[in-house]
Amino acid sequence: MALGPFEFATSTKEGVTLLARDEPMVVHAQIPTDVLNDYFKLTGDGTNHQRQKLVIDNLDAFGKIAAGKYERGELKYRDGQGTTVAMVRLSLFDLECSTHISRDPSHSRLH
């Protein structure tokens, strides 16, 4: 089966997590807090809510970056409750190489 689209899963102090499926596997894409703060130049290190909004507003772009890393095999595997979980970590370099992420928070769809 093919990799499905990435969807927002959670936002914590560690970062934002996206999820996709490649049956029977689950794919987690982790975007660490420091990467988001640096990329979006969030003052005061930003808040979970700010980072969440920025990722959701650019979900397609983040999904493409994560899918690319997954397809290139840039991941780690772990077993999780009856299924294999593929873990992809997005770096500042990954984000800076993308031309599809908007750094402008005024284009936010969530208010």
Side-chain angles (χ1 to χ4, degrees):
M1 194 168 190
L3 180 67
F6 278 90
E7 298 176 4
F8 172 80
T10 188
S11 176
T12 66
K13 65 180 181 175
E14 285 81 32
V16 175
T17 302
L18 306 178
L19 294 176
R21 295 197 63 83
D22 186 4
E23 294 293 343
M25 194 169 8
V26 175
V27 183
H28 286 217
Q30 178 68 29
I31 313 162
T33 294
D34 59 337
V35 168
L36 291 168
N37 289 344
D38 290 348
Y39 183 78
F40 289 107
K41 301 187 182 345
L42 296 176
T43 57
D45 290 334
T47 65
N48 287 347
H49 184 70
Q50 285 175 308
R51 288 185 291 274
Q52 177 181 329
K53 283 174 52 176
L54 289 164
V55 170
I56 289 171
D57 288 346
N58 290 284
L59 188 57
D60 289 340
F62 282 106
K64 287 178 185 174
I65 295 167
K69 292 190 78 148
Y70 174 78
E71 290 166 2
R72 290 188 301 274
E74 298 175 29
L75 50 92
K76 295 181 181 179
Y77 293 99
R78 72 174 173 83
D79 291 326
Q81 299 181 345
T83 188
T84 301
V85 178
M87 309 289 292
V88 176
R89 183 182 184 280
L90 277 61
S91 68
L92 183 58
F93 179 77
D94 296 324
L95 274 55
E96 289 175 340
C97 289
S98 174
T99 59
H100 302 292
I101 301 173
S102 172
R103 290 188 198 220
D104 185 356
S106 68
H107 290 122
S108 177
R109 292 183 304 232
L110 300 175
H111 296 285

